[in-house]
Amino acid sequence: EIDGIHIDDYFYPSGLKESADKVTYEEYLVKNPDTELSDYRRAMCDAVVSRMYAVIKEADYNDIFSISPSANIQTNYDSYYADVVKWASTEGYCDVMIPQVYFGFENATMPFEEVVDEWDAIEEKKVRILYGLAAYKVGTEDTYAGSGKYEWVENDNVLSRQIEYIMSKKSYRGFALYRYCSLFFPQKAVRSQMKLELTKVIDMLKSAKS
């Protein structure tokens, strides 16, 4: 017995060559002429996701189908051919979406608040949005964050501030912390900082309930 099925991360690999699916694309063109390769690939992702949803619901309608895509909506669409806006706003694709918002507030290219606001702005959502947060970055250098690379080292309240922010959004239905070992078996160097972060998060959630 299971409660649901979850698929994580990417769909088409980034930078995929045209030759990779040339044969099936040409077969598709027979019945769907003038279809661009990018549109074909998005149609294939749509078909896989919608079929998975249908199979899961046929087995047990109460089982949950969730997807955890990249948090960059445009990159999903252009590079991975995953139309996450369609999946979030159209019935029949998934029940829950968990965008990987693994960025700090000071991230130079993908600041946390801007990314969350973009997901929050998706209209007429048909799915629950649970924001995926980067517990694994607590106390560590964020290598690709540019000018914000030391944010997680210098602050012991990034997670709690992020949760406070997403709780203020109309789309908020919860959050997920990645990853399990970072929470329950943190490296010695970040153990005290993780404890501080989790204490603040727990206190905040208790306060919100009351």
Side-chain angles (χ1 to χ4, degrees):
E1 293 296 325
I2 63 170
D3 295 315
I5 298 291
H6 176 74
I7 60 175
D8 184 53
D9 225 352
Y10 306 117
F11 300 91
Y12 272 85
S14 179
L16 191 69
K17 295 180 180 179
E18 289 188 12
S19 59
D21 50 359
K22 185 175 185 294
V23 174
T24 52
Y25 173 48
E26 290 178 347
E27 291 173 353
Y28 186 83
L29 287 175
V30 174
K31 293 185 178 180
N32 303 274
D34 302 320
T35 302
E36 296 291 335
L37 177 60
S38 57
D39 291 328
Y40 160 74
R41 288 177 171 176
R42 279 186 284 272
M44 293 302 97
C45 282
D46 286 351
V48 169
V49 170
S50 63
R51 182 58 182 149
M52 287 184 69
Y53 178 86
V55 168
I56 290 166
K57 295 304 178 181
E58 286 168 9
D60 188 334
Y61 188 80
N62 293 317
D63 283 348
I64 294 172
F65 179 37
S66 59
I67 302 173
S68 184
S70 161
N72 190 321
I73 291 176
Q74 200 61 46
T75 296
N76 281 316
Y77 190 83
D78 294 333
S79 298
Y80 309 138
Y81 307 101
D83 192 346
V84 294
V85 173
K86 177 193 286 187
W87 301 347
S89 57
T90 308
E91 293 182 351
Y93 286 101
C94 62
D95 300 300
V96 177
M97 197 167 287
I98 312 173
Q100 300 172 19
V101 193
Y102 298 162
F103 313 106
F105 293 96
E106 300 172 17
N107 187 290
T109 56
M110 295 287 289
F112 179 80
E113 292 179 341
E114 289 185 15
V115 177
V116 168
D117 288 351
E118 190 174 7
W119 282 90
D120 188 59
I122 296 175
E123 297 181 356
E124 299 183 5
K125 298 179 187 66
K126 303 298 183 183
V127 305
R128 284 180 286 161
I129 300 292
L130 307 182
Y131 292 96
L133 307 179
Y136 72 96
K137 288 188 176 180
V138 169
T140 65
E141 181 181 317
D142 194 358
T143 308
Y144 302 106
S147 57
K149 66 188 298 184
Y150 297 116
E151 178 181 6
W152 297 85
V153 176
E154 297 171 349
N155 299 277
D156 60 12
N157 64 349
V158 179
L159 273 183
S160 55
R161 286 166 52 216
Q162 289 184 339
I163 293 170
E164 182 177 29
Y165 187 75
I166 62 175
M167 288 177 72
S168 71
K169 300 285 111 178
K170 62 183 179 182
S171 61
Y172 174 75
R173 295 295 183 275
F175 60 90
L177 299 178
Y178 180 76
R179 56 194 180 261
Y180 182 91
C181 62
S182 298
L183 294 169
F184 296 99
F185 305 101
Q187 297 294 317
K188 186 176 181 180
V190 302
R191 199 169 295 162
S192 60
Q193 192 163 341
M194 178 64 78
K195 185 177 180 179
L196 285 171
E197 278 276 27
L198 293 181
T199 298
K200 290 176 182 178
V201 169
I202 291 169
D203 288 344
M204 180 188 304
L205 295 177
K206 286 181 178 178
S207 178
K209 282 187 176 181
S210 61

Short mmCIF file of all heavy atoms in Angstrom, two decimals, residues 113-172:
data_model
loop_
_atom_site.label_atom_id
_atom_site.label_comp_id
_atom_site.label_asym_id
_atom_site.label_seq_id
_atom_site.Cartn_x
_atom_site.Cartn_y
_atom_site.Cartn_z
N GLU A 113 12.67 35.63 -2.88
CA GLU A 113 11.35 36.27 -2.91
C GLU A 113 10.82 36.39 -4.34
O GLU A 113 9.63 36.17 -4.58
CB GLU A 113 11.42 37.64 -2.24
CG GLU A 113 11.67 37.57 -0.75
CD GLU A 113 11.75 38.93 -0.09
OE1 GLU A 113 11.98 39.93 -0.80
OE2 GLU A 113 11.59 39.00 1.13
N GLU A 114 11.68 36.72 -5.28
CA GLU A 114 11.23 36.86 -6.67
C GLU A 114 10.76 35.53 -7.24
O GLU A 114 9.77 35.47 -7.97
CB GLU A 114 12.37 37.43 -7.53
CG GLU A 114 12.68 38.89 -7.25
CD GLU A 114 13.73 39.45 -8.21
OE1 GLU A 114 13.99 38.80 -9.25
OE2 GLU A 114 14.29 40.52 -7.92
N VAL A 115 11.48 34.46 -6.91
CA VAL A 115 11.11 33.14 -7.41
C VAL A 115 9.76 32.71 -6.83
O VAL A 115 8.87 32.24 -7.55
CB VAL A 115 12.20 32.10 -7.08
CG1 VAL A 115 11.77 30.71 -7.54
CG2 VAL A 115 13.52 32.49 -7.72
N VAL A 116 9.60 32.88 -5.53
CA VAL A 116 8.33 32.52 -4.89
C VAL A 116 7.18 33.34 -5.46
O VAL A 116 6.10 32.81 -5.74
CB VAL A 116 8.43 32.72 -3.36
CG1 VAL A 116 7.04 32.62 -2.71
CG2 VAL A 116 9.36 31.68 -2.75
N ASP A 117 7.42 34.63 -5.67
CA ASP A 117 6.36 35.50 -6.20
C ASP A 117 5.91 35.05 -7.59
O ASP A 117 4.74 35.15 -7.93
CB ASP A 117 6.86 36.95 -6.27
CG ASP A 117 6.99 37.59 -4.90
OD1 ASP A 117 6.53 36.98 -3.91
OD2 ASP A 117 7.56 38.69 -4.82
N GLU A 118 6.86 34.55 -8.39
CA GLU A 118 6.52 34.09 -9.73
C GLU A 118 5.61 32.86 -9.66
O GLU A 118 4.63 32.75 -10.41
CB GLU A 118 7.78 33.77 -10.52
CG GLU A 118 7.53 33.50 -11.99
CD GLU A 118 8.81 33.34 -12.80
OE1 GLU A 118 9.89 33.30 -12.19
OE2 GLU A 118 8.71 33.23 -14.03
N TRP A 119 5.90 31.92 -8.77
CA TRP A 119 5.04 30.75 -8.60
C TRP A 119 3.70 31.15 -8.01
O TRP A 119 2.66 30.62 -8.39
CB TRP A 119 5.73 29.72 -7.71
CG TRP A 119 6.77 28.93 -8.44
CD1 TRP A 119 8.10 29.23 -8.58
CD2 TRP A 119 6.56 27.72 -9.17
NE1 TRP A 119 8.72 28.28 -9.34
CE2 TRP A 119 7.81 27.34 -9.72
CE3 TRP A 119 5.45 26.91 -9.40
CZ2 TRP A 119 7.97 26.19 -10.48
CZ3 TRP A 119 5.61 25.76 -10.16
CH2 TRP A 119 6.85 25.41 -10.70
N ASP A 120 3.73 32.07 -7.08
CA ASP A 120 2.50 32.52 -6.44
C ASP A 120 1.56 33.18 -7.44
O ASP A 120 0.34 33.14 -7.28
CB ASP A 120 2.85 33.51 -5.32
CG ASP A 120 1.66 33.89 -4.48
OD1 ASP A 120 1.03 32.99 -3.88
OD2 ASP A 120 1.33 35.10 -4.41
N ALA A 121 2.14 33.77 -8.50
CA ALA A 121 1.34 34.52 -9.48
C ALA A 121 0.65 33.63 -10.51
O ALA A 121 -0.16 34.14 -11.30
CB ALA A 121 2.23 35.54 -10.19
N ILE A 122 0.96 32.33 -10.53
CA ILE A 122 0.27 31.43 -11.47
C ILE A 122 -1.22 31.47 -11.18
O ILE A 122 -1.65 31.24 -10.05
CB ILE A 122 0.80 29.99 -11.37
CG1 ILE A 122 2.28 29.94 -11.78
CG2 ILE A 122 -0.02 29.05 -12.26
CD1 ILE A 122 2.91 28.58 -11.59
N GLU A 123 -2.02 31.76 -12.18
CA GLU A 123 -3.45 31.95 -11.97
C GLU A 123 -4.22 30.63 -12.02
O GLU A 123 -3.83 29.69 -12.71
CB GLU A 123 -4.00 32.92 -13.02
CG GLU A 123 -3.40 34.33 -12.92
CD GLU A 123 -3.98 35.27 -13.95
OE1 GLU A 123 -4.79 34.81 -14.79
OE2 GLU A 123 -3.63 36.47 -13.91
N GLU A 124 -5.31 30.60 -11.28
CA GLU A 124 -6.26 29.48 -11.29
C GLU A 124 -5.56 28.13 -11.09
O GLU A 124 -5.73 27.18 -11.87
CB GLU A 124 -7.06 29.48 -12.60
CG GLU A 124 -7.89 30.73 -12.79
CD GLU A 124 -8.72 30.69 -14.05
OE1 GLU A 124 -8.73 29.64 -14.72
OE2 GLU A 124 -9.36 31.71 -14.36
N LYS A 125 -4.79 28.05 -10.03
CA LYS A 125 -4.06 26.80 -9.76
C LYS A 125 -5.02 25.66 -9.48
O LYS A 125 -6.01 25.82 -8.78
CB LYS A 125 -3.14 27.00 -8.55
CG LYS A 125 -2.06 28.06 -8.76
CD LYS A 125 -1.21 28.21 -7.51
CE LYS A 125 -0.25 29.36 -7.63
NZ LYS A 125 -0.93 30.67 -7.69
N LYS A 126 -4.69 24.50 -10.05
CA LYS A 126 -5.47 23.29 -9.82
C LYS A 126 -4.71 22.32 -8.91
O LYS A 126 -5.19 21.21 -8.65
CB LYS A 126 -5.78 22.60 -11.15
CG LYS A 126 -6.51 23.48 -12.15
CD LYS A 126 -7.87 23.93 -11.64
CE LYS A 126 -8.59 24.74 -12.72
NZ LYS A 126 -9.91 25.26 -12.24
N VAL A 127 -3.52 22.71 -8.49
CA VAL A 127 -2.69 21.85 -7.66
C VAL A 127 -2.30 22.59 -6.39
O VAL A 127 -2.41 23.81 -6.30
CB VAL A 127 -1.40 21.41 -8.41
CG1 VAL A 127 -1.75 20.75 -9.72
CG2 VAL A 127 -0.46 22.59 -8.63
N ARG A 128 -1.82 21.83 -5.42
CA ARG A 128 -1.25 22.44 -4.22
C ARG A 128 0.22 22.75 -4.49
O ARG A 128 0.94 21.91 -5.04
CB ARG A 128 -1.37 21.50 -3.03
CG ARG A 128 -2.78 21.44 -2.44
CD ARG A 128 -2.81 20.48 -1.27
NE ARG A 128 -2.74 19.10 -1.72
CZ ARG A 128 -2.38 18.08 -0.95
NH1 ARG A 128 -2.00 18.28 0.30
NH2 ARG A 128 -2.36 16.85 -1.43
N ILE A 129 0.64 23.94 -4.12
CA ILE A 129 2.05 24.31 -4.24
C ILE A 129 2.68 24.17 -2.86
O ILE A 129 2.28 24.83 -1.91
CB ILE A 129 2.21 25.77 -4.73
CG1 ILE A 129 1.54 25.96 -6.10
CG2 ILE A 129 3.70 26.14 -4.80
CD1 ILE A 129 2.21 25.24 -7.24
N LEU A 130 3.66 23.28 -2.77
CA LEU A 130 4.47 23.15 -1.56
C LEU A 130 5.87 23.62 -1.94
O LEU A 130 6.49 23.07 -2.85
CB LEU A 130 4.53 21.71 -1.07
CG LEU A 130 3.22 20.97 -0.86
CD1 LEU A 130 3.49 19.57 -0.31
CD2 LEU A 130 2.30 21.73 0.09
N TYR A 131 6.37 24.63 -1.27
CA TYR A 131 7.67 25.17 -1.65
C TYR A 131 8.80 24.32 -1.08
O TYR A 131 8.87 24.08 0.12
CB TYR A 131 7.78 26.62 -1.18
CG TYR A 131 6.84 27.54 -1.92
CD1 TYR A 131 5.60 27.88 -1.39
CD2 TYR A 131 7.19 28.04 -3.17
CE1 TYR A 131 4.72 28.71 -2.09
CE2 TYR A 131 6.32 28.86 -3.87
CZ TYR A 131 5.09 29.19 -3.32
OH TYR A 131 4.23 30.00 -4.03
N GLY A 132 9.68 23.86 -1.97
CA GLY A 132 10.84 23.09 -1.55
C GLY A 132 11.95 24.02 -1.09
O GLY A 132 12.36 24.92 -1.84
N LEU A 133 12.42 23.84 0.14
CA LEU A 133 13.44 24.72 0.71
C LEU A 133 14.74 23.95 0.97
O LEU A 133 14.72 22.76 1.28
CB LEU A 133 12.92 25.34 2.01
CG LEU A 133 11.56 26.05 1.91
CD1 LEU A 133 11.16 26.60 3.28
CD2 LEU A 133 11.60 27.16 0.87
N ALA A 134 15.84 24.66 0.90
CA ALA A 134 17.18 24.04 0.92
C ALA A 134 17.77 23.94 2.31
O ALA A 134 18.71 24.67 2.66
CB ALA A 134 18.12 24.80 0.00
N ALA A 135 17.27 22.99 3.11
CA ALA A 135 17.85 22.78 4.44
C ALA A 135 19.32 22.38 4.34
O ALA A 135 20.12 22.67 5.23
CB ALA A 135 17.06 21.72 5.19
N TYR A 136 19.69 21.74 3.24
CA TYR A 136 21.07 21.27 3.09
C TYR A 136 22.08 22.41 2.95
O TYR A 136 23.29 22.20 3.08
CB TYR A 136 21.18 20.33 1.88
CG TYR A 136 21.08 21.01 0.53
CD1 TYR A 136 22.23 21.38 -0.16
CD2 TYR A 136 19.85 21.27 -0.06
CE1 TYR A 136 22.15 22.00 -1.41
CE2 TYR A 136 19.76 21.87 -1.29
CZ TYR A 136 20.90 22.24 -1.97
OH TYR A 136 20.81 22.86 -3.20
N LYS A 137 21.60 23.64 2.73
CA LYS A 137 22.51 24.78 2.58
C LYS A 137 22.81 25.49 3.89
O LYS A 137 23.68 26.36 3.94
CB LYS A 137 21.95 25.77 1.57
CG LYS A 137 22.00 25.29 0.13
CD LYS A 137 21.61 26.36 -0.86
CE LYS A 137 21.79 25.86 -2.30
NZ LYS A 137 21.41 26.89 -3.29
N VAL A 138 22.09 25.13 4.93
CA VAL A 138 22.31 25.79 6.23
C VAL A 138 23.77 25.66 6.65
O VAL A 138 24.33 24.57 6.69
CB VAL A 138 21.39 25.16 7.31
CG1 VAL A 138 21.80 25.66 8.70
CG2 VAL A 138 19.93 25.51 7.03
N GLY A 139 24.39 26.79 6.91
CA GLY A 139 25.76 26.82 7.40
C GLY A 139 26.83 26.60 6.35
O GLY A 139 28.01 26.50 6.68
N THR A 140 26.42 26.52 5.08
CA THR A 140 27.39 26.23 4.02
C THR A 140 27.48 27.37 3.01
O THR A 140 26.56 28.19 2.88
CB THR A 140 27.03 24.94 3.28
OG1 THR A 140 25.79 25.12 2.58
CG2 THR A 140 26.89 23.78 4.25
N GLU A 141 28.56 27.39 2.27
CA GLU A 141 28.73 28.37 1.21
C GLU A 141 27.87 27.98 0.02
O GLU A 141 27.89 26.83 -0.42
CB GLU A 141 30.21 28.42 0.79
CG GLU A 141 30.51 29.42 -0.30
CD GLU A 141 31.98 29.42 -0.68
OE1 GLU A 141 32.84 29.36 0.24
OE2 GLU A 141 32.28 29.45 -1.90
N ASP A 142 27.11 28.94 -0.49
CA ASP A 142 26.22 28.71 -1.63
C ASP A 142 26.99 29.06 -2.90
O ASP A 142 26.95 30.18 -3.40
CB ASP A 142 24.96 29.57 -1.48
CG ASP A 142 23.85 29.14 -2.42
OD1 ASP A 142 24.07 28.20 -3.20
OD2 ASP A 142 22.77 29.76 -2.36
N THR A 143 27.66 28.08 -3.44
CA THR A 143 28.67 28.28 -4.49
C THR A 143 28.20 29.12 -5.66
O THR A 143 28.93 29.99 -6.16
CB THR A 143 29.15 26.92 -5.02
OG1 THR A 143 29.56 26.11 -3.91
CG2 THR A 143 30.32 27.09 -5.97
N TYR A 144 26.98 28.90 -6.13
CA TYR A 144 26.52 29.55 -7.36
C TYR A 144 25.61 30.76 -7.10
O TYR A 144 24.91 31.20 -8.00
CB TYR A 144 25.79 28.54 -8.24
CG TYR A 144 26.64 27.34 -8.59
CD1 TYR A 144 26.42 26.10 -7.98
CD2 TYR A 144 27.69 27.45 -9.49
CE1 TYR A 144 27.21 25.00 -8.29
CE2 TYR A 144 28.49 26.36 -9.80
CZ TYR A 144 28.24 25.13 -9.20
OH TYR A 144 29.04 24.06 -9.50
N ALA A 145 25.66 31.30 -5.90
CA ALA A 145 24.76 32.40 -5.54
C ALA A 145 25.36 33.77 -5.82
O ALA A 145 24.75 34.79 -5.51
CB ALA A 145 24.37 32.30 -4.07
N GLY A 146 26.56 33.81 -6.39
CA GLY A 146 27.18 35.10 -6.69
C GLY A 146 27.47 35.88 -5.43
O GLY A 146 28.07 35.36 -4.48
N SER A 147 27.01 37.12 -5.37
CA SER A 147 27.29 37.98 -4.22
C SER A 147 26.64 37.48 -2.94
O SER A 147 27.00 37.92 -1.84
CB SER A 147 26.81 39.41 -4.51
OG SER A 147 25.42 39.41 -4.84
N GLY A 148 25.69 36.55 -3.05
CA GLY A 148 25.02 36.01 -1.86
C GLY A 148 25.56 34.68 -1.41
O GLY A 148 24.90 33.96 -0.65
N LYS A 149 26.78 34.35 -1.81
CA LYS A 149 27.32 33.01 -1.55
C LYS A 149 27.53 32.69 -0.07
O LYS A 149 27.54 31.54 0.33
CB LYS A 149 28.63 32.80 -2.32
CG LYS A 149 29.76 33.67 -1.86
CD LYS A 149 30.97 33.56 -2.80
CE LYS A 149 31.54 32.17 -2.85
NZ LYS A 149 32.76 32.07 -3.67
N TYR A 150 27.66 33.73 0.77
CA TYR A 150 27.90 33.49 2.20
C TYR A 150 26.66 33.70 3.07
O TYR A 150 26.74 33.68 4.29
CB TYR A 150 29.03 34.38 2.70
CG TYR A 150 30.35 34.10 2.02
CD1 TYR A 150 30.96 35.07 1.22
CD2 TYR A 150 30.98 32.87 2.15
CE1 TYR A 150 32.17 34.82 0.57
CE2 TYR A 150 32.19 32.61 1.51
CZ TYR A 150 32.77 33.59 0.72
OH TYR A 150 33.97 33.33 0.09
N GLU A 151 25.53 33.91 2.43
CA GLU A 151 24.30 34.20 3.19
C GLU A 151 23.96 33.10 4.18
O GLU A 151 23.59 33.37 5.33
CB GLU A 151 23.14 34.39 2.22
CG GLU A 151 21.80 34.64 2.91
CD GLU A 151 20.65 34.79 1.95
OE1 GLU A 151 20.86 34.59 0.72
OE2 GLU A 151 19.54 35.09 2.40
N TRP A 152 24.09 31.84 3.77
CA TRP A 152 23.72 30.72 4.64
C TRP A 152 24.74 30.49 5.74
O TRP A 152 24.43 29.84 6.75
CB TRP A 152 23.56 29.45 3.82
CG TRP A 152 22.47 29.51 2.80
CD1 TRP A 152 22.54 30.02 1.53
CD2 TRP A 152 21.12 29.05 2.95
NE1 TRP A 152 21.33 29.89 0.89
CE2 TRP A 152 20.45 29.29 1.72
CE3 TRP A 152 20.43 28.42 3.99
CZ2 TRP A 152 19.11 28.95 1.52
CZ3 TRP A 152 19.09 28.07 3.79
CH2 TRP A 152 18.44 28.34 2.58
N VAL A 153 25.94 31.01 5.57
CA VAL A 153 26.98 30.88 6.59
C VAL A 153 26.82 31.95 7.65
O VAL A 153 26.96 31.70 8.86
CB VAL A 153 28.39 31.00 5.94
CG1 VAL A 153 29.47 30.96 7.02
CG2 VAL A 153 28.60 29.88 4.93
N GLU A 154 26.51 33.16 7.21
CA GLU A 154 26.49 34.32 8.09
C GLU A 154 25.17 34.51 8.83
O GLU A 154 25.09 35.33 9.76
CB GLU A 154 26.80 35.57 7.28
CG GLU A 154 28.21 35.55 6.67
CD GLU A 154 28.44 36.69 5.70
OE1 GLU A 154 27.45 37.37 5.33
OE2 GLU A 154 29.61 36.91 5.31
N ASN A 155 24.14 33.78 8.46
CA ASN A 155 22.82 33.94 9.09
C ASN A 155 22.28 32.60 9.57
O ASN A 155 22.43 31.59 8.90
CB ASN A 155 21.83 34.55 8.09
CG ASN A 155 22.24 35.92 7.60
OD1 ASN A 155 22.00 36.91 8.25
ND2 ASN A 155 22.90 35.97 6.43
N ASP A 156 21.64 32.62 10.73
CA ASP A 156 21.04 31.40 11.27
C ASP A 156 19.52 31.45 11.24
O ASP A 156 18.85 30.77 12.00
CB ASP A 156 21.53 31.13 12.69
CG ASP A 156 21.19 32.26 13.65
OD1 ASP A 156 20.37 33.14 13.28
OD2 ASP A 156 21.74 32.28 14.76
N ASN A 157 18.98 32.28 10.33
CA ASN A 157 17.53 32.41 10.26
C ASN A 157 17.01 32.42 8.83
O ASN A 157 15.90 32.89 8.58
CB ASN A 157 17.08 33.68 10.98
CG ASN A 157 17.61 34.95 10.32
OD1 ASN A 157 18.48 34.90 9.44
ND2 ASN A 157 17.12 36.10 10.75
N VAL A 158 17.80 31.93 7.88
CA VAL A 158 17.36 31.96 6.48
C VAL A 158 16.12 31.10 6.29
O VAL A 158 15.11 31.54 5.72
CB VAL A 158 18.48 31.51 5.53
CG1 VAL A 158 17.97 31.52 4.08
CG2 VAL A 158 19.70 32.41 5.66
N LEU A 159 16.15 29.88 6.79
CA LEU A 159 14.99 28.98 6.63
C LEU A 159 13.74 29.54 7.30
O LEU A 159 12.65 29.53 6.71
CB LEU A 159 15.29 27.60 7.21
CG LEU A 159 15.97 26.56 6.33
CD1 LEU A 159 16.10 25.25 7.09
CD2 LEU A 159 15.21 26.34 5.03
N SER A 160 13.88 30.00 8.51
CA SER A 160 12.70 30.52 9.22
C SER A 160 12.12 31.75 8.53
O SER A 160 10.90 31.92 8.44
CB SER A 160 13.06 30.84 10.68
OG SER A 160 14.14 31.73 10.77
N ARG A 161 12.99 32.60 7.99
CA ARG A 161 12.51 33.77 7.24
C ARG A 161 11.84 33.36 5.95
O ARG A 161 10.84 33.97 5.53
CB ARG A 161 13.67 34.72 6.95
CG ARG A 161 14.16 35.51 8.18
CD ARG A 161 15.51 36.17 7.92
NE ARG A 161 15.48 36.96 6.71
CZ ARG A 161 16.52 37.07 5.87
NH1 ARG A 161 17.65 36.42 6.12
NH2 ARG A 161 16.44 37.84 4.80
N GLN A 162 12.36 32.32 5.32
CA GLN A 162 11.74 31.84 4.09
C GLN A 162 10.35 31.27 4.37
O GLN A 162 9.40 31.54 3.62
CB GLN A 162 12.63 30.77 3.44
CG GLN A 162 13.90 31.34 2.83
CD GLN A 162 14.72 30.30 2.12
OE1 GLN A 162 14.60 29.10 2.38
NE2 GLN A 162 15.59 30.73 1.22
N ILE A 163 10.23 30.52 5.43
CA ILE A 163 8.93 29.95 5.77
C ILE A 163 7.94 31.05 6.13
O ILE A 163 6.77 31.02 5.73
CB ILE A 163 9.08 28.93 6.91
CG1 ILE A 163 9.87 27.71 6.41
CG2 ILE A 163 7.72 28.49 7.44
CD1 ILE A 163 10.28 26.75 7.49
N GLU A 164 8.41 32.04 6.84
CA GLU A 164 7.56 33.18 7.18
C GLU A 164 7.07 33.87 5.91
O GLU A 164 5.90 34.27 5.81
CB GLU A 164 8.34 34.17 8.04
CG GLU A 164 7.53 35.38 8.49
CD GLU A 164 8.32 36.30 9.39
OE1 GLU A 164 9.57 36.36 9.26
OE2 GLU A 164 7.71 36.97 10.24
N TYR A 165 7.97 33.98 4.91
CA TYR A 165 7.59 34.65 3.66
C TYR A 165 6.56 33.84 2.88
O TYR A 165 5.55 34.39 2.43
CB TYR A 165 8.83 34.89 2.80
CG TYR A 165 8.54 35.73 1.58
CD1 TYR A 165 8.36 37.10 1.71
CD2 TYR A 165 8.41 35.17 0.32
CE1 TYR A 165 8.06 37.89 0.60
CE2 TYR A 165 8.12 35.94 -0.79
CZ TYR A 165 7.94 37.30 -0.64
OH TYR A 165 7.64 38.07 -1.74
N ILE A 166 6.79 32.53 2.72
CA ILE A 166 5.86 31.75 1.92
C ILE A 166 4.50 31.60 2.61
O ILE A 166 3.47 31.49 1.94
CB ILE A 166 6.43 30.35 1.56
CG1 ILE A 166 6.70 29.52 2.80
CG2 ILE A 166 7.67 30.48 0.69
CD1 ILE A 166 7.17 28.10 2.50
N MET A 167 4.50 31.66 3.93
CA MET A 167 3.23 31.57 4.65
C MET A 167 2.35 32.79 4.40
O MET A 167 1.14 32.75 4.61
CB MET A 167 3.48 31.38 6.15
CG MET A 167 4.00 30.00 6.51
SD MET A 167 4.38 29.80 8.28
CE MET A 167 2.73 29.75 8.97
N SER A 168 2.95 33.87 3.93
CA SER A 168 2.19 35.09 3.64
C SER A 168 1.59 35.08 2.23
O SER A 168 0.81 35.97 1.87
CB SER A 168 3.11 36.32 3.78
OG SER A 168 4.05 36.38 2.72
N LYS A 169 1.92 34.06 1.43
CA LYS A 169 1.48 34.01 0.05
C LYS A 169 0.12 33.32 -0.08
O LYS A 169 -0.18 32.39 0.66
CB LYS A 169 2.50 33.26 -0.81
CG LYS A 169 3.89 33.86 -0.83
CD LYS A 169 3.96 35.10 -1.70
CE LYS A 169 4.16 36.36 -0.92
NZ LYS A 169 4.26 37.56 -1.75
N LYS A 170 -0.66 33.75 -1.06
CA LYS A 170 -1.99 33.16 -1.26
C LYS A 170 -1.91 31.70 -1.70
O LYS A 170 -2.84 30.93 -1.47
CB LYS A 170 -2.76 33.98 -2.29
CG LYS A 170 -2.13 34.01 -3.68
CD LYS A 170 -2.91 34.89 -4.63
CE LYS A 170 -2.26 34.93 -6.02
NZ LYS A 170 -2.98 35.82 -6.95
N SER A 171 -0.79 31.32 -2.34
CA SER A 171 -0.64 29.96 -2.84
C SER A 171 -0.12 28.99 -1.78
O SER A 171 -0.02 27.79 -2.04
CB SER A 171 0.33 29.95 -4.02
OG SER A 171 1.62 30.40 -3.62
N TYR A 172 0.20 29.48 -0.60
CA TYR A 172 0.86 28.64 0.41
C TYR A 172 -0.03 27.48 0.84
O TYR A 172 -1.16 27.66 1.26
CB TYR A 172 1.23 29.47 1.63
CG TYR A 172 1.77 28.64 2.77
CD1 TYR A 172 3.06 28.14 2.71
CD2 TYR A 172 0.99 28.35 3.89
CE1 TYR A 172 3.57 27.35 3.74
CE2 TYR A 172 1.50 27.57 4.93
CZ TYR A 172 2.79 27.09 4.84
OH TYR A 172 3.28 26.31 5.86
#
